[in-house]
Amino acid sequence: MVGWRSQSRDLQQDAILADRASSQDPLGSPLPKMIPGIGAFTQDTLWCFSQVKGTMETGTTEADIISTVEFNHTGELLATGDKGGRVVIFQREQESKNQVHRRGEYNVYSTFQSHEPEFDYLKSLEIEEKINKIRWLPQQNAAYFLLSTNDKTVKLWKVSERDKRPEGYNLKDEEGRLRDPATITTLRVPVLRPMDLMVEATPRRVFANAHTYHINSISVNSDYETYMSADDLRINLWNFEITNQSFNIVDIKPANMEELTEVITAAEFHPHHCNTFVYSSSKGTIRLCDMRASALCDRHTKFFEEPEDPSNRSFFSEIISSISDVKFSHSGRYIMTRDYLTVKVWDLNMENRPIETYQVHDYLRSKLCSLYENDCIFDKFECVWNGSDSVIMTGSYNNFFRMFDRNTKRDVTLEASRENSKPRAILKPRKVCVGGKRRKDEISVDSLDFSKKILHTAWHPSENIIAVAATNNLYIFQDKVN
Amino acid sequence: MFARGLKRKRAEDEEAAPAYSLQRQSLLDMSLVKLQLCHVLVEPNLCRSVLITNTDLQIQEEMTQDGRWCVPVPQTAGRASRDLLVSTEILCCCAWEGVHPAPDPGDLASEFQVVPAVQAPGGSPGGVWGRDGPRENRGSFHKSLDQIFETLESQSPGAVEELFSDVDVSYYDLDAVLTGMLGGAKLIQDGLDLVVDILVET
């Protein structure tokens, strides 16, 4: 299946239009350097609105709900997947010397239908086309490659540019119709002529029929030759070139399914050691495995678990301890896990407890019963590192997202909303008031909108640019450029 | 001093026990509904099913423990029953320590439509399920055996009747409640069966 979008290279035109808009909305009064709460992470990081993608209509088509966001390794491309099985790739425009105050914006580069809904006739069940994860491969030539997966099938897509086309075929005319051989009197060599840039996406590999349960993670190995896909009970290792077989490296399915008490929730390869990977579970544990130890990595090399705090025990303890995301730091020295109420940073060398724990929205602890009733307690939030591993970010409800600076121990709550969407508008920190007097600009816990959840966020690999998915809108924020 | 504090809390617990048990029962019912209301067309989320089932098992286990508590332990019980008490110490700490006299009415009432919980003095603002501040729970694992026996002795034999005394019959059918208390195991089993049925087909 080929999808393409004609891309005009006249970015200057876009820049002029944007400039006109921003000049009518000046930045305003100069900002104080240090504001308590807004706070400098390092060198006064202030986050500004940059762009928002998606419709402004209040009625959201379910198919438009963004289900995954991922920058590529250089940050030049930003991919989103949605519930309708589509992938949209944005490309950062080249920075022009004319606009020093504005960094490159992301514009649509390619859109294609990655997965279609399917029907499993054996089980009489639908297979959703929702894109669960996208992972980029490092760029090795002019084309870009990414993996996208739904619940059952992983696909390798090649995204490439075409700016020339062959003209002067002998057997076909310019519209592609076959010519009558009797009319061909001379032979000519087709030549490549320039054309409008076309970006096309083609599925190069389809890795199917290897997962009985729902795929929750994919991870490209640092050897760039293999990758893994993880479902609720099994993890498979693939070679990019081979689609008709995969190696099963983890299998936690019990012989008697009635004894099932724990499932795999996320998995990731170590960023540098191609033999090492981790996977998290619904019981709040992380296992690190070494593929050199055995073919089936059922025995972990390391087992990370924090002892339960008896003073915090409730019927919901297990549910909120279930890890929804696990991410290695860029350095490979730490792993970060997200459970329902906290983000934790673990040192690979210490298994008995995390080295850092950050409260994302502890005010929800007394609301767990309601959140269980409306199913929000099962929401799977993701978490991300910044490029230098000094700041971590994760989402919350009411379109809030949180950042934690590991060095200064300061944190901030920001909001992705249309109200804060003026060009280069600085995001104001938000605060949730737990009880007692509510200050102006604070929002009380009971006023939070639990249907507005930020599950998916991404951080540019080297710059302070973040992408935040709020239901069907994608917000891009950048730090303020002085 | 510890014993006195315990006695006071015991009084509060006795008032809160019916409300707590009702809410626990609602949680159990809700969980089973969740397991059964799986999307017909799309395969159910296994992680969610497992977590709900595990929660059910926890509730059932605690309800079974409560069942044991209701039966007065004979004073002249031999070594065997002492062992039983010791082995259930941890569970009983979690169960009874988790009871709060004043669950947040706004939080629960709208969902459960339960008889409004009694506002006991000194109640915590936290939810019924969550655990409160450290004062009640510090050293909960290090209670002496004497304190546990004291707890047992003060347990009223008519607890089961109290449990049903103020049930709002418009919400709870008495049969359902009784079934829940006594047949908790069966309901859990049904839930597990459902999950297994779905999985076995795969």
Side-chain angles (χ1 to χ4, degrees), chain B residues 9-24:
Chain B
K9 203 173 67 59
R10 181 53 44 217
E12 292 168 351
D13 283 349
E14 278 176 1
E15 285 175 335
Y20 172 76
S21 296
L22 281 175
Q23 282 144 4
R24 184 177 58 190

Side-chain angles (χ1 to χ4, degrees), chain A residues 317-330:
Chain A
S317 292
E318 183 175 326
I319 299 180
I320 63 169
S321 75
S322 174
I323 292 172
S324 51
D325 195 15
V326 65
K327 290 268 170 49
F328 271 102
S329 63
H330 292 93

Side-chain angles (χ1 to χ4, degrees), chain A residues 2-109:
Chain A
V2 173
W4 57 272
R5 185 181 174 90
S6 176
Q7 175 81 7
S8 165
R9 277 301 191 190
D10 192 5
L11 300 169
Q12 196 64 21
Q13 186 72 9
D14 290 342
I16 292 167
L17 286 168
D19 245 329
R20 205 171 288 152
S22 63
S23 66
Q24 290 161 0
D25 186 18
L27 205 49
S29 56
L31 292 148
K33 275 275 179 187
M34 289 288 252
I35 303 173
I38 289 184
F41 293 138
T42 46
Q43 279 131 29
D44 301 47
T45 306
L46 294 168
W47 290 95
C48 309
F49 170 81
S50 174
Q51 297 170 269
V52 60
K53 310 285 188 190
T55 175
M56 278 177 65
E57 287 161 20
T58 44
T60 307
T61 335
E62 186 141 332
D64 293 335
I65 296 175
I66 299 170
S67 49
T68 184
V69 188
E70 189 83 353
F71 281 99
N72 76 337
H73 290 73
T74 59
E76 182 204 351
L77 299 180
L78 174 62
T80 62
D82 64 24
K83 270 191 137 184
R86 282 173 310 225
V87 171
V88 180
I89 301 176
F90 302 92
Q91 185 187 45
R92 194 175 182 192
E93 65 187 15
Q94 302 290 337
E95 284 178 29
S96 153
K97 296 212 173 34
N98 294 345
Q99 321 120 49
V100 191
H101 56 272
R102 198 187 68 155
R103 310 235 292 282
E105 285 198 339
Y106 285 84
N107 301 314
V108 178
Y109 179 66

